[in-house]
Amino acid sequence: MALISDTTTPSLPAPRGGRFTPMLAFLVAVALVCVAAFVLSYRYFQSEEFSKAQGRLSLYQSTVVAELERFSHLTFVLSQDPFVRDVAAGGSTDALNQRLAEFADRAGIDAIYLMDRSGQTISASNAGTPTTFLGQNYGFRPYFQDALNGTQGRFYGIGATTGLPGYFIADAVRDDTGAVRAVIALKIDLSKLAEAWRSSGEAVFLSNRDGVVILASDPAWQYRVMQALPPDQRASIDAARQFRGQPLDPLDWVASGGALARLDGQEWLHLQSGDLPHDWALHFLTSTEPARARAWLVTASLALLGGASFIAMQIMRSRRMGVALRKSEQEEAALRAANDRLAVEIEERRAAERQLHHAQGELERTSRLAALGQLAASVTHELGQPIAAMRNQVAAAEIGQKVESPFAAKIGGLVDRMEGITRQLKFFARSETEPFRRFDLRDAVQAAITLLAPNVEHGPVTLRFEAPAEAVEMRGVQLRIEQVLTNLLRNAIDAAEGADRTDVTVTLGATEGTGWINVHDTGPGFGDLTLEDLQEPFFTTRESGRGMGLGLAISASIVKDHGGRMTAQSTQDAGTTFRLEFPLTPDLSA
Ligand code: ADP
């Protein structure tokens, strides 16, 4: 039905594509949240690592300080020892060597040794060993100089004799007058500290004032400098033979700002403690990897959560769309049903209009026929008398004449025609209802044919009648039906007369309670006119005097009185067929 318009398109969510959709916005938001989460959590975990590292650093610092201070008083105590003072005053060294060896052994000190004022070692705990200090001169060492000058000397360096690194502490040995007679020194091995750092798996190193790494958990860092040394600084280090034989190459070290630094290409969280003797600095390095890994974990969890919510949103969205689609389908179906109902109603109204129109036409026709009836009654009444008088006059004139007058015959003919006209008009003026009787339609057709036989006999037309063997009985006024058939036959014969083929065929039959008669002629037909037009009273195409145009009007009226139907079909090639249909009597005994 064309009434359904495009406005029934379902009201689905707006189409997407090429626009900044909520979905895209959501994804961008998730991405931003993930970036923020990474940055914040990385900072957080880094600060956690930082405070952990601070704890470790202060622990290491205290162990370093403890290690350095452990024997800080021993040199002073030894400088007061009578054996030491005796040797310093020039006594025999044998007993002292033994004594120092025992001290060193008990305290776990590398070496204890006594130097004279020139720096020459005169007694040593390692006397008799291949790398004994005895006889060696350490006058160039800063710790010796300091002690000689009356202050405690301290120094870290690679042993000039052993080649092993150590921490040196020295104090002056004075005589009773307070004059410095000798210097007593000891050497502590700090490498155990570095070993402890290494075994803990942590990255720690200790640098001196010059930035030289003097102890490190990674041996590769030891004796490297944090920044390249200026030449004069390098010269003074060489003069003290502090790092004899070491090239002191710079470390691959970059402080990247804040607490971060790069060492050997790796990024480290770097903490430094400067609260150590000799301006030493203890460095604690911890990898940024764990903090980064944990930040990634947090970010991945968030991204996972975002992804899960995205999928959930998609599922919900498709469900919502499904519901909307179903709803719109239902609405469309309801609309279609309403449209169909409307179409039916419109069709019913059109049919009613057609019926009304037809009824109006019928009414007009009926009123015209009623007017015609009145006219016909007065005309037939008024003309009846003069026509009768004329017939009498003609008859009287004929009787009085011996020779037959052609004039009287002509007048007689005219009177006959006038009577014929008034007879036809009388049909419209009739008021009585004639009684219906049962009759055979075959008889009615036959009677009409017989009546018209004189017209056919001398003309070119061939008239055929095809009828069933059994009777086709209906109830009605046989004479009236004959009148209808006479009209139709006369019209058919007239139409066929001028044509090439001059056949008129009457066929009679009965189908499902209806009796029908077809009157077919091979005439030219009635063109574009309709049966309605033809059966208008006084419609005729004949020349004046040949027809009055009342035949079909009368016939239609009779057919209607019998509850029948008259139809007509006309084509130029196939001729014209008038068809009559009458309801057959169901109870023939009635
Ligand atoms: P009349 O025969 O007096 O003219 P009718 O009412 O019988 O009046 O017919 C009216 C008109 O219908 C005729 O003048 C003719 O034009 C047309 N007509 C009727 N029957 C036929 C037919 N079989 N073939 C062609 N035209 C016909």
Side-chain angles (χ1 to χ4, degrees):
M1 189 65 213
L3 287 167
I4 290 181
S5 70
D6 282 347
T7 51
T8 56
T9 353
S11 54
L12 293 177
R16 329 221 133 216
R19 287 191 299 143
F20 192 71
T21 61
M23 282 299 159
L24 194 62
F26 177 78
L27 288 177
V28 169
V30 167
L32 286 175
V33 166
C34 283
V35 169
F38 180 79
V39 171
L40 292 175
S41 62
Y42 183 47
R43 273 192 199 158
Y44 173 76
F45 292 130
Q46 223 176 32
S47 75
E48 245 189 10
E49 289 288 325
F50 192 81
S51 50
K52 230 193 297 176
Q54 264 178 333
R56 299 295 292 161
L57 178 69
S58 60
L59 181 75
Y60 286 127
Q61 188 197 358
S62 56
T63 57
V64 169
V65 170
E67 195 64 24
L68 296 184
E69 296 305 321
R70 198 147 58 113
F71 301 109
S72 61
H73 303 298
L74 188 58
T75 45
F76 176 73
V77 172
L78 284 172
S79 71
Q80 305 298 315
D81 183 74
F83 289 86
V84 172
R85 292 183 68 167
D86 181 45
V87 172
S92 166
T93 58
D94 293 347
L96 185 59
N97 286 349
Q98 184 63 34
R99 190 175 168 80
L100 291 180
E102 276 173 23
F103 278 146
D105 193 36
R106 289 224 185 127
I109 297 170
D110 263 15
I112 307 174
Y113 51 103
L114 186 69
M115 292 160 282
D116 64 15
R117 281 185 60 87
S118 69
Q120 193 78 20
T121 308
I122 49 177
S123 178
S125 63
N126 52 16
T129 63
T131 52
T132 182
F133 294 176
L134 268 182
Q136 299 291 333
N137 191 303
Y138 299 113
F140 60 91
R141 291 291 206 186
Y143 64 87
F144 175 80
Q145 301 294 338
D146 290 344
L148 208 58
N149 292 332
T151 56
Q152 191 176 52
R154 291 191 181 208
F155 179 72
Y156 179 87
I158 296 175
T161 311
T162 58
L164 296 171
Y167 185 62
F168 301 86
I169 305 174
D171 261 306
V173 181
R174 297 170 191 271
D175 61 14
D176 292 338
T177 63
V180 177
R181 301 299 302 267
V183 170
I184 181 86
L186 56 86
K187 181 187 177 189
I188 311 163
D189 180 11
L190 291 182
S191 62
K192 288 191 189 70
L193 269 177
E195 270 165 38
W197 298 341
R198 195 166 32 252
S199 61
S200 72
E202 289 175 312
V204 188
F205 65 87
L206 186 65
S207 63
N208 69 4
R209 188 190 299 147
D210 299 322
V212 180
V213 177
I214 52 179
L215 274 180
S217 58
D218 186 340
W221 301 337
Q222 199 157 7
Y223 306 131
R224 309 273 297 272
V225 285
M226 296 182 74
Q227 290 152 359
L229 293 169
D232 54 331
Q233 203 173 350
R234 177 69 199 243
S236 81
I237 291 170
D238 287 346
R241 297 189 214 168
Q242 193 177 4
F243 302 106
R244 203 171 55 139
Q246 294 297 334
L248 300 182
D249 290 331
L251 274 173
D252 180 13
W253 169 268
V254 183
S256 10
L260 293 173
R262 294 193 81 79
L263 177 57
D264 294 339
Q266 194 190 336
E267 193 180 56
W268 299 89
L269 199 63
H270 172 227
L271 277 82
Q272 180 179 336
S273 162
D275 197 12
L276 281 169
H278 319 299
D279 291 336
W280 287 1
L282 187 65
H283 303 263
F284 185 88
L285 303 175
T286 181
S287 172
T288 52
E289 269 317 303
R292 189 173 288 123
R294 284 160 79 189
W296 273 123
L297 200 71
V298 168
T299 310
S301 311
L302 264 176
L304 217 66
L305 202 73
S309 358
F310 180 74
I311 290 168
M313 270 168 69
Q314 286 289 52
I315 291 171
M316 274 161 65
R317 182 169 162 262
S318 66
R319 277 201 190 142
R320 268 204 315 277
M321 281 179 74
V323 169
L325 196 69
R326 275 195 294 283
K327 199 173 155 207
S328 78
E329 277 171 357
Q330 283 168 0
E331 282 171 1
E332 194 181 322
L335 200 64
R336 274 184 197 284
N339 264 331
D340 288 349
R341 277 200 304 277
L342 199 65
V344 169
E345 276 170 24
I346 288 171
E347 197 42 53
E348 280 173 359
R349 223 183 57 197
R350 280 189 185 148
E353 268 172 17
R354 277 198 301 274
Q355 262 177 1
L356 188 68
H357 194 68
H358 184 72
Q360 275 173 344
E362 278 295 298
L363 199 66
E364 278 172 26
R365 220 172 114 71
T366 311
S367 62
R368 272 203 304 277
L369 282 174
L372 177 65
Q374 281 180 353
L375 180 76
S378 64
V379 168
T380 50
H381 179 257
E382 293 302 326
L383 288 184
Q385 277 298 102
I387 288 171
M390 276 175 80
R391 178 165 291 291
N392 289 340
Q393 291 293 330
V394 170
E398 278 181 337
I399 291 164
Q401 306 238 326
K402 293 206 173 67
V403 187
E404 204 169 289
S405 152
F407 179 72
K410 214 169 187 178
I411 295 294
L414 287 173
V415 169
D416 281 349
R417 262 182 76 184
M418 285 162 75
E419 267 186 341
I421 291 166
T422 49
R423 208 181 313 120
Q424 277 195 0
L425 283 175
K426 259 186 201 158
F427 172 81
F428 291 103
R430 78 201 149 98
S431 55
E432 81 281 10
T433 49
E434 297 151 297
F436 274 25
R437 290 204 177 78
R438 180 160 53 103
F439 67 93
D440 188 350
L441 268 175
R442 293 183 302 176
D443 298 341
V445 176
Q446 199 52 61
I449 289 173
T450 310
L451 195 70
L452 288 169
N455 302 38
V456 178
E457 262 167 29
H458 305 294
V461 173
T462 315
L463 180 63
R464 272 203 306 274
F465 175 38
E466 295 168 7
E470 64 277 10
V472 181
E473 293 194 316
M474 65 170 278
R475 277 175 63 79
V477 185
Q478 185 178 343
L479 207 67
R480 293 290 168 214
I481 300 300
E482 282 174 19
Q483 194 180 348
V484 172
L485 287 165
T486 310
N487 273 330
L488 296 187
L489 273 172
R490 185 178 288 124
N491 285 343
I493 290 162
D494 286 353
E497 260 173 0
D500 297 342
R501 277 184 61 205
T502 51
D503 293 332
V504 171
T505 312
V506 183
T507 320
L508 169 64
T511 315
E512 291 174 4
T514 302
W516 52 266
I517 302 155
N518 285 350
V519 179
H520 176 75
D521 67 69
T522 51
F526 46 79
D528 292 336
L529 297 166
T530 63
L531 182 59
E532 304 277 304
D533 300 331
L534 302 188
Q535 64 195 19
E536 272 299 306
F538 302 112
F539 176 86
T540 182
T541 56
R542 296 174 204 279
E543 71 269 25
S544 177
R546 292 260 303 145
M548 277 183 68
L550 287 175
L552 286 178
I554 293 167
S555 301
S557 181
I558 294 170
V559 170
K560 198 177 158 204
D561 288 347
H562 285 76
R565 205 159 78 99
M566 180 164 69
T567 51
Q569 253 189 345
S570 162
T571 46
Q572 209 176 355
D573 302 327
T576 308
T577 302
F578 276 80
R579 181 180 173 88
L580 300 174
E581 287 174 347
F582 296 104
L584 294 181
T585 319
D587 181 3
L588 290 177
S589 60

